[in-house]
Amino acid sequence: MEFLNLVKETKSLNKYIKRQEEEFNLKIKEKVETLNSNKEEIRKYLKEAINSREYEYKEVEVKSVSSFGTGMRTTYYPFLKIDDEYEVKEESFVDYGEDDDYYGLHRKYIIYNKNNGIKIKVKEHSLIRKYERGTNKDWERRIYPFGVELINASRHVSYEVEIEEMKFEFNRSFDVSKV
């Protein structure tokens, strides 16, 4: 008789465990849906913040290594303006160029929120091309016109943003004619 009671108790416990697993799985599923919804809201907010942020082109000197040797390369790069409660630290530029007509820059930096200490890691990847000053006309791999001032500038930037171990990616285009 004890054996049958043990079987009954085991069957009952098994049903109880399955019911608890189902309830737990439903709760986890709800939490995952909430998490994904929150991440999507954060992504939309960040994308809008990046795309609507004012910017200014600044001249940067970056050490370059190309087929022509090592030297400094002057590039006009779009910097997003940040609010006063943020501070940019640990900024670096790395040139990954091949030649003078076509190269790119990696810019890495950390934005610190002065109020709550949260840090935002940002990696920017951009393609640098030659543009006629004051226009968006790209002169890559063309015969350069006589008497036209050409500048190296970034028109498109890809952003990788990491906040509290969540990663987001965006792209933005800029107006080189402002240089």
Side-chain angles (χ1 to χ4, degrees):
M1 200 61 146
E2 284 184 33
F3 176 74
L4 292 178
N5 286 338
L6 185 60
V7 169
K8 263 183 158 178
E9 184 181 337
T10 303
K11 183 178 177 183
S12 175
L13 283 172
N14 194 29
K15 284 181 182 180
Y16 175 78
I17 289 171
K18 284 184 180 181
R19 188 173 54 248
Q20 291 297 320
E21 284 177 345
E22 289 172 2
E23 289 176 14
F24 180 75
N25 287 340
L26 285 174
K27 287 179 184 177
I28 291 294
K29 184 178 178 181
E30 289 173 11
K31 295 286 185 190
V32 168
E33 288 173 359
T34 302
L35 173 69
N36 288 337
S37 176
N38 289 349
K39 280 185 173 180
E40 183 59 23
E41 285 183 42
I42 293 168
R43 190 191 74 72
K44 285 179 183 177
Y45 176 82
L46 285 173
K47 184 176 182 180
E48 178 60 30
I50 287 173
N51 286 328
S52 65
R53 181 103 16 219
E54 289 186 32
Y55 66 95
E56 65 178 325
Y57 272 95
K58 294 181 184 177
E59 191 175 295
V60 294
E61 292 280 327
V62 180
K63 183 178 179 181
S64 73
V65 178
S66 71
S67 57
F68 297 109
T70 302
M72 296 302 284
R73 193 183 326 235
T74 301
T75 300
Y76 289 91
Y77 195 86
F79 287 81
L80 298 178
K81 295 181 181 179
I82 61 170
D83 299 332
D84 291 337
E85 70 252 21
Y86 295 98
E87 181 179 5
V88 174
K89 291 188 176 185
E90 302 178 34
E91 181 178 36
S92 68
F93 275 97
V94 177
D95 179 342
Y96 63 96
E98 292 297 319
D99 58 42
D100 283 338
D101 292 328
Y102 172 83
Y103 65 98
L105 288 178
H106 291 299
R107 178 182 178 217
K108 293 181 183 180
Y109 54 97
I110 297 175
I111 300 174
Y112 287 96
N113 185 306
K114 297 175 189 174
N115 298 329
N116 59 20
I118 290 179
K119 64 181 179 179
I120 302 167
K121 295 178 183 178
V122 182
K123 293 179 187 175
E124 298 177 2
H125 307 283
S126 62
L127 186 63
I128 310 299
R129 294 189 173 158
K130 290 199 181 295
Y131 293 90
E132 184 176 329
R133 184 181 284 280
T135 72
N136 285 309
K137 190 172 185 179
D138 177 357
W139 286 91
E140 179 193 358
R141 307 269 187 227
R142 298 184 191 160
I143 298 173
Y144 301 131
F146 182 73
V148 173
E149 183 181 1
L150 298 177
I151 58 169
N152 295 320
S154 173
R155 186 171 182 191
H156 304 284
V157 177
S158 297
Y159 295 89
E160 292 178 21
V161 179
E162 182 179 334
I163 305 173
E164 300 289 324
E165 300 178 7
M166 292 181 288
K167 294 183 181 182
F168 305 93
E169 294 184 11
F170 312 98
N171 296 313
R172 179 169 177 184
S173 296
F174 297 92
D175 184 4
V176 179
S177 69
K178 290 184 174 187
V179 178

PDB file of all heavy atoms in Angstrom, residues 67-89:
ATOM      1  N   SER A  67      49.315  54.041 -48.448  1.00  0.00           N
ATOM      2  CA  SER A  67      50.315  53.561 -49.401  1.00  0.00           C
ATOM      3  C   SER A  67      51.363  54.636 -49.687  1.00  0.00           C
ATOM      4  O   SER A  67      52.421  54.346 -50.206  1.00  0.00           O
ATOM      5  CB  SER A  67      49.634  53.112 -50.693  1.00  0.00           C
ATOM      6  OG  SER A  67      48.870  54.172 -51.225  1.00  0.00           O
ATOM      7  N   PHE A  68      51.040  55.896 -49.316  1.00  0.00           N
ATOM      8  CA  PHE A  68      51.979  56.996 -49.538  1.00  0.00           C
ATOM      9  C   PHE A  68      52.882  57.230 -48.327  1.00  0.00           C
ATOM     10  O   PHE A  68      53.723  58.088 -48.339  1.00  0.00           O
ATOM     11  CB  PHE A  68      51.216  58.287 -49.854  1.00  0.00           C
ATOM     12  CG  PHE A  68      50.411  58.191 -51.116  1.00  0.00           C
ATOM     13  CD1 PHE A  68      49.028  58.140 -51.058  1.00  0.00           C
ATOM     14  CD2 PHE A  68      51.020  58.131 -52.361  1.00  0.00           C
ATOM     15  CE1 PHE A  68      48.273  58.038 -52.212  1.00  0.00           C
ATOM     16  CE2 PHE A  68      50.273  58.025 -53.513  1.00  0.00           C
ATOM     17  CZ  PHE A  68      48.895  57.979 -53.441  1.00  0.00           C
ATOM     18  N   GLY A  69      52.655  56.499 -47.246  1.00  0.00           N
ATOM     19  CA  GLY A  69      53.484  56.659 -46.050  1.00  0.00           C
ATOM     20  C   GLY A  69      52.649  57.060 -44.842  1.00  0.00           C
ATOM     21  O   GLY A  69      51.426  56.990 -44.851  1.00  0.00           O
ATOM     22  N   THR A  70      53.355  57.493 -43.808  1.00  0.00           N
ATOM     23  CA  THR A  70      52.707  57.891 -42.568  1.00  0.00           C
ATOM     24  C   THR A  70      52.744  59.409 -42.456  1.00  0.00           C
ATOM     25  O   THR A  70      53.738  60.040 -42.792  1.00  0.00           O
ATOM     26  CB  THR A  70      53.446  57.272 -41.355  1.00  0.00           C
ATOM     27  OG1 THR A  70      53.435  55.861 -41.513  1.00  0.00           O
ATOM     28  CG2 THR A  70      52.770  57.639 -40.065  1.00  0.00           C
ATOM     29  N   GLY A  71      51.659  59.973 -41.972  1.00  0.00           N
ATOM     30  CA  GLY A  71      51.609  61.418 -41.804  1.00  0.00           C
ATOM     31  C   GLY A  71      50.310  61.823 -41.141  1.00  0.00           C
ATOM     32  O   GLY A  71      49.540  60.988 -40.675  1.00  0.00           O
ATOM     33  N   MET A  72      50.084  63.109 -41.098  1.00  0.00           N
ATOM     34  CA  MET A  72      48.848  63.635 -40.529  1.00  0.00           C
ATOM     35  C   MET A  72      47.902  63.980 -41.675  1.00  0.00           C
ATOM     36  O   MET A  72      48.319  64.505 -42.706  1.00  0.00           O
ATOM     37  CB  MET A  72      49.127  64.871 -39.680  1.00  0.00           C
ATOM     38  CG  MET A  72      50.004  64.585 -38.458  1.00  0.00           C
ATOM     39  SD  MET A  72      49.334  63.344 -37.353  1.00  0.00           S
ATOM     40  CE  MET A  72      48.068  64.269 -36.546  1.00  0.00           C
ATOM     41  N   ARG A  73      46.631  63.671 -41.470  1.00  0.00           N
ATOM     42  CA  ARG A  73      45.624  63.929 -42.493  1.00  0.00           C
ATOM     43  C   ARG A  73      44.555  64.840 -41.883  1.00  0.00           C
ATOM     44  O   ARG A  73      44.042  64.563 -40.805  1.00  0.00           O
ATOM     45  CB  ARG A  73      44.998  62.610 -42.928  1.00  0.00           C
ATOM     46  CG  ARG A  73      44.174  62.724 -44.175  1.00  0.00           C
ATOM     47  CD  ARG A  73      43.489  61.449 -44.599  1.00  0.00           C
ATOM     48  NE  ARG A  73      44.158  60.205 -44.368  1.00  0.00           N
ATOM     49  CZ  ARG A  73      44.422  59.302 -45.301  1.00  0.00           C
ATOM     50  NH1 ARG A  73      44.097  59.521 -46.544  1.00  0.00           N
ATOM     51  NH2 ARG A  73      44.996  58.158 -44.995  1.00  0.00           N
ATOM     52  N   THR A  74      44.226  65.917 -42.586  1.00  0.00           N
ATOM     53  CA  THR A  74      43.204  66.852 -42.127  1.00  0.00           C
ATOM     54  C   THR A  74      41.859  66.427 -42.688  1.00  0.00           C
ATOM     55  O   THR A  74      41.722  66.201 -43.892  1.00  0.00           O
ATOM     56  CB  THR A  74      43.521  68.286 -42.591  1.00  0.00           C
ATOM     57  OG1 THR A  74      44.794  68.649 -42.072  1.00  0.00           O
ATOM     58  CG2 THR A  74      42.471  69.265 -42.112  1.00  0.00           C
ATOM     59  N   THR A  75      40.880  66.314 -41.796  1.00  0.00           N
ATOM     60  CA  THR A  75      39.541  65.880 -42.185  1.00  0.00           C
ATOM     61  C   THR A  75      38.511  66.747 -41.480  1.00  0.00           C
ATOM     62  O   THR A  75      38.692  67.120 -40.324  1.00  0.00           O
ATOM     63  CB  THR A  75      39.312  64.406 -41.778  1.00  0.00           C
ATOM     64  OG1 THR A  75      40.287  63.595 -42.426  1.00  0.00           O
ATOM     65  CG2 THR A  75      37.928  63.927 -42.162  1.00  0.00           C
ATOM     66  N   TYR A  76      37.427  67.060 -42.182  1.00  0.00           N
ATOM     67  CA  TYR A  76      36.297  67.760 -41.562  1.00  0.00           C
ATOM     68  C   TYR A  76      35.300  66.693 -41.116  1.00  0.00           C
ATOM     69  O   TYR A  76      34.829  65.895 -41.923  1.00  0.00           O
ATOM     70  CB  TYR A  76      35.655  68.741 -42.546  1.00  0.00           C
ATOM     71  CG  TYR A  76      36.557  69.916 -42.805  1.00  0.00           C
ATOM     72  CD1 TYR A  76      37.470  69.896 -43.847  1.00  0.00           C
ATOM     73  CD2 TYR A  76      36.517  71.023 -41.976  1.00  0.00           C
ATOM     74  CE1 TYR A  76      38.318  70.962 -44.076  1.00  0.00           C
ATOM     75  CE2 TYR A  76      37.365  72.100 -42.203  1.00  0.00           C
ATOM     76  CZ  TYR A  76      38.266  72.060 -43.247  1.00  0.00           C
ATOM     77  OH  TYR A  76      39.103  73.111 -43.460  1.00  0.00           O
ATOM     78  N   TYR A  77      35.021  66.703 -39.834  1.00  0.00           N
ATOM     79  CA  TYR A  77      34.222  65.641 -39.234  1.00  0.00           C
ATOM     80  C   TYR A  77      33.020  66.238 -38.503  1.00  0.00           C
ATOM     81  O   TYR A  77      33.172  67.224 -37.778  1.00  0.00           O
ATOM     82  CB  TYR A  77      35.091  64.840 -38.258  1.00  0.00           C
ATOM     83  CG  TYR A  77      34.485  63.532 -37.855  1.00  0.00           C
ATOM     84  CD1 TYR A  77      34.662  62.393 -38.632  1.00  0.00           C
ATOM     85  CD2 TYR A  77      33.708  63.425 -36.710  1.00  0.00           C
ATOM     86  CE1 TYR A  77      34.099  61.176 -38.275  1.00  0.00           C
ATOM     87  CE2 TYR A  77      33.145  62.215 -36.333  1.00  0.00           C
ATOM     88  CZ  TYR A  77      33.343  61.104 -37.121  1.00  0.00           C
ATOM     89  OH  TYR A  77      32.774  59.914 -36.771  1.00  0.00           O
ATOM     90  N   PRO A  78      31.819  65.640 -38.659  1.00  0.00           N
ATOM     91  CA  PRO A  78      30.631  66.186 -37.974  1.00  0.00           C
ATOM     92  C   PRO A  78      30.563  65.735 -36.508  1.00  0.00           C
ATOM     93  O   PRO A  78      30.583  64.547 -36.215  1.00  0.00           O
ATOM     94  CB  PRO A  78      29.471  65.590 -38.777  1.00  0.00           C
ATOM     95  CG  PRO A  78      30.018  64.304 -39.318  1.00  0.00           C
ATOM     96  CD  PRO A  78      31.483  64.538 -39.546  1.00  0.00           C
ATOM     97  N   PHE A  79      30.540  66.688 -35.614  1.00  0.00           N
ATOM     98  CA  PHE A  79      30.408  66.420 -34.185  1.00  0.00           C
ATOM     99  C   PHE A  79      29.004  66.802 -33.747  1.00  0.00           C
ATOM    100  O   PHE A  79      28.566  67.936 -33.971  1.00  0.00           O
ATOM    101  CB  PHE A  79      31.417  67.245 -33.371  1.00  0.00           C
ATOM    102  CG  PHE A  79      32.836  66.759 -33.501  1.00  0.00           C
ATOM    103  CD1 PHE A  79      33.604  67.108 -34.600  1.00  0.00           C
ATOM    104  CD2 PHE A  79      33.388  65.965 -32.526  1.00  0.00           C
ATOM    105  CE1 PHE A  79      34.910  66.671 -34.722  1.00  0.00           C
ATOM    106  CE2 PHE A  79      34.698  65.514 -32.640  1.00  0.00           C
ATOM    107  CZ  PHE A  79      35.456  65.869 -33.742  1.00  0.00           C
ATOM    108  N   LEU A  80      28.307  65.850 -33.108  1.00  0.00           N
ATOM    109  CA  LEU A  80      26.986  66.140 -32.565  1.00  0.00           C
ATOM    110  C   LEU A  80      27.152  66.998 -31.324  1.00  0.00           C
ATOM    111  O   LEU A  80      28.042  66.768 -30.507  1.00  0.00           O
ATOM    112  CB  LEU A  80      26.248  64.850 -32.202  1.00  0.00           C
ATOM    113  CG  LEU A  80      25.952  63.879 -33.346  1.00  0.00           C
ATOM    114  CD1 LEU A  80      25.271  62.630 -32.799  1.00  0.00           C
ATOM    115  CD2 LEU A  80      25.086  64.527 -34.390  1.00  0.00           C
ATOM    116  N   LYS A  81      26.296  67.992 -31.178  1.00  0.00           N
ATOM    117  CA  LYS A  81      26.330  68.834 -29.977  1.00  0.00           C
ATOM    118  C   LYS A  81      25.618  68.084 -28.858  1.00  0.00           C
ATOM    119  O   LYS A  81      24.584  67.466 -29.072  1.00  0.00           O
ATOM    120  CB  LYS A  81      25.664  70.169 -30.256  1.00  0.00           C
ATOM    121  CG  LYS A  81      26.422  70.992 -31.280  1.00  0.00           C
ATOM    122  CD  LYS A  81      25.778  72.322 -31.534  1.00  0.00           C
ATOM    123  CE  LYS A  81      26.572  73.092 -32.578  1.00  0.00           C
ATOM    124  NZ  LYS A  81      25.962  74.386 -32.862  1.00  0.00           N
ATOM    125  N   ILE A  82      26.202  68.126 -27.666  1.00  0.00           N
ATOM    126  CA  ILE A  82      25.599  67.431 -26.531  1.00  0.00           C
ATOM    127  C   ILE A  82      25.126  68.447 -25.494  1.00  0.00           C
ATOM    128  O   ILE A  82      25.595  69.587 -25.452  1.00  0.00           O
ATOM    129  CB  ILE A  82      26.574  66.415 -25.892  1.00  0.00           C
ATOM    130  CG1 ILE A  82      27.826  67.099 -25.367  1.00  0.00           C
ATOM    131  CG2 ILE A  82      26.931  65.326 -26.867  1.00  0.00           C
ATOM    132  CD1 ILE A  82      28.691  66.186 -24.533  1.00  0.00           C
ATOM    133  N   ASP A  83      24.186  68.013 -24.670  1.00  0.00           N
ATOM    134  CA  ASP A  83      23.625  68.872 -23.634  1.00  0.00           C
ATOM    135  C   ASP A  83      24.648  69.112 -22.532  1.00  0.00           C
ATOM    136  O   ASP A  83      25.600  68.345 -22.366  1.00  0.00           O
ATOM    137  CB  ASP A  83      22.366  68.240 -23.045  1.00  0.00           C
ATOM    138  CG  ASP A  83      21.278  68.048 -24.096  1.00  0.00           C
ATOM    139  OD1 ASP A  83      21.249  68.812 -25.075  1.00  0.00           O
ATOM    140  OD2 ASP A  83      20.464  67.117 -23.934  1.00  0.00           O
ATOM    141  N   ASP A  84      24.411  70.162 -21.739  1.00  0.00           N
ATOM    142  CA  ASP A  84      25.346  70.556 -20.687  1.00  0.00           C
ATOM    143  C   ASP A  84      25.520  69.514 -19.596  1.00  0.00           C
ATOM    144  O   ASP A  84      26.552  69.471 -18.939  1.00  0.00           O
ATOM    145  CB  ASP A  84      24.905  71.881 -20.050  1.00  0.00           C
ATOM    146  CG  ASP A  84      25.065  73.044 -21.018  1.00  0.00           C
ATOM    147  OD1 ASP A  84      25.875  72.936 -21.958  1.00  0.00           O
ATOM    148  OD2 ASP A  84      24.369  74.068 -20.837  1.00  0.00           O
ATOM    149  N   GLU A  85      24.511  68.663 -19.368  1.00  0.00           N
ATOM    150  CA  GLU A  85      24.646  67.674 -18.297  1.00  0.00           C
ATOM    151  C   GLU A  85      25.512  66.479 -18.699  1.00  0.00           C
ATOM    152  O   GLU A  85      25.729  65.580 -17.905  1.00  0.00           O
ATOM    153  CB  GLU A  85      23.282  67.192 -17.785  1.00  0.00           C
ATOM    154  CG  GLU A  85      22.524  66.330 -18.762  1.00  0.00           C
ATOM    155  CD  GLU A  85      21.328  67.036 -19.381  1.00  0.00           C
ATOM    156  OE1 GLU A  85      21.275  68.267 -19.384  1.00  0.00           O
ATOM    157  OE2 GLU A  85      20.452  66.328 -19.881  1.00  0.00           O
ATOM    158  N   TYR A  86      26.026  66.487 -19.921  1.00  0.00           N
ATOM    159  CA  TYR A  86      26.886  65.412 -20.400  1.00  0.00           C
ATOM    160  C   TYR A  86      28.297  65.921 -20.635  1.00  0.00           C
ATOM    161  O   TYR A  86      28.511  67.093 -20.917  1.00  0.00           O
ATOM    162  CB  TYR A  86      26.341  64.815 -21.700  1.00  0.00           C
ATOM    163  CG  TYR A  86      25.010  64.122 -21.523  1.00  0.00           C
ATOM    164  CD1 TYR A  86      23.818  64.763 -21.834  1.00  0.00           C
ATOM    165  CD2 TYR A  86      24.952  62.825 -21.048  1.00  0.00           C
ATOM    166  CE1 TYR A  86      22.604  64.133 -21.667  1.00  0.00           C
ATOM    167  CE2 TYR A  86      23.742  62.174 -20.882  1.00  0.00           C
ATOM    168  CZ  TYR A  86      22.574  62.837 -21.190  1.00  0.00           C
ATOM    169  OH  TYR A  86      21.378  62.202 -21.014  1.00  0.00           O
ATOM    170  N   GLU A  87      29.253  65.005 -20.535  1.00  0.00           N
ATOM    171  CA  GLU A  87      30.653  65.331 -20.751  1.00  0.00           C
ATOM    172  C   GLU A  87      31.288  64.211 -21.573  1.00  0.00           C
ATOM    173  O   GLU A  87      31.095  63.034 -21.280  1.00  0.00           O
ATOM    174  CB  GLU A  87      31.344  65.455 -19.399  1.00  0.00           C
ATOM    175  CG  GLU A  87      32.787  65.823 -19.473  1.00  0.00           C
ATOM    176  CD  GLU A  87      33.416  65.949 -18.086  1.00  0.00           C
ATOM    177  OE1 GLU A  87      32.741  65.654 -17.073  1.00  0.00           O
ATOM    178  OE2 GLU A  87      34.579  66.319 -18.033  1.00  0.00           O
ATOM    179  N   VAL A  88      32.050  64.587 -22.609  1.00  0.00           N
ATOM    180  CA  VAL A  88      32.726  63.600 -23.458  1.00  0.00           C
ATOM    181  C   VAL A  88      34.115  63.338 -22.892  1.00  0.00           C
ATOM    182  O   VAL A  88      34.866  64.271 -22.611  1.00  0.00           O
ATOM    183  CB  VAL A  88      32.841  64.098 -24.913  1.00  0.00           C
ATOM    184  CG1 VAL A  88      33.670  63.131 -25.755  1.00  0.00           C
ATOM    185  CG2 VAL A  88      31.476  64.288 -25.528  1.00  0.00           C
ATOM    186  N   LYS A  89      34.433  62.050 -22.718  1.00  0.00           N
ATOM    187  CA  LYS A  89      35.750  61.654 -22.214  1.00  0.00           C
ATOM    188  C   LYS A  89      36.286  60.502 -23.048  1.00  0.00           C
ATOM    189  O   LYS A  89      35.544  59.829 -23.748  1.00  0.00           O
ATOM    190  CB  LYS A  89      35.650  61.211 -20.754  1.00  0.00           C
ATOM    191  CG  LYS A  89      35.331  62.337 -19.797  1.00  0.00           C
ATOM    192  CD  LYS A  89      35.436  61.865 -18.370  1.00  0.00           C
ATOM    193  CE  LYS A  89      35.211  63.044 -17.429  1.00  0.00           C
ATOM    194  NZ  LYS A  89      35.424  62.652 -16.041  1.00  0.00           N
TER     195      LYS A  89
END
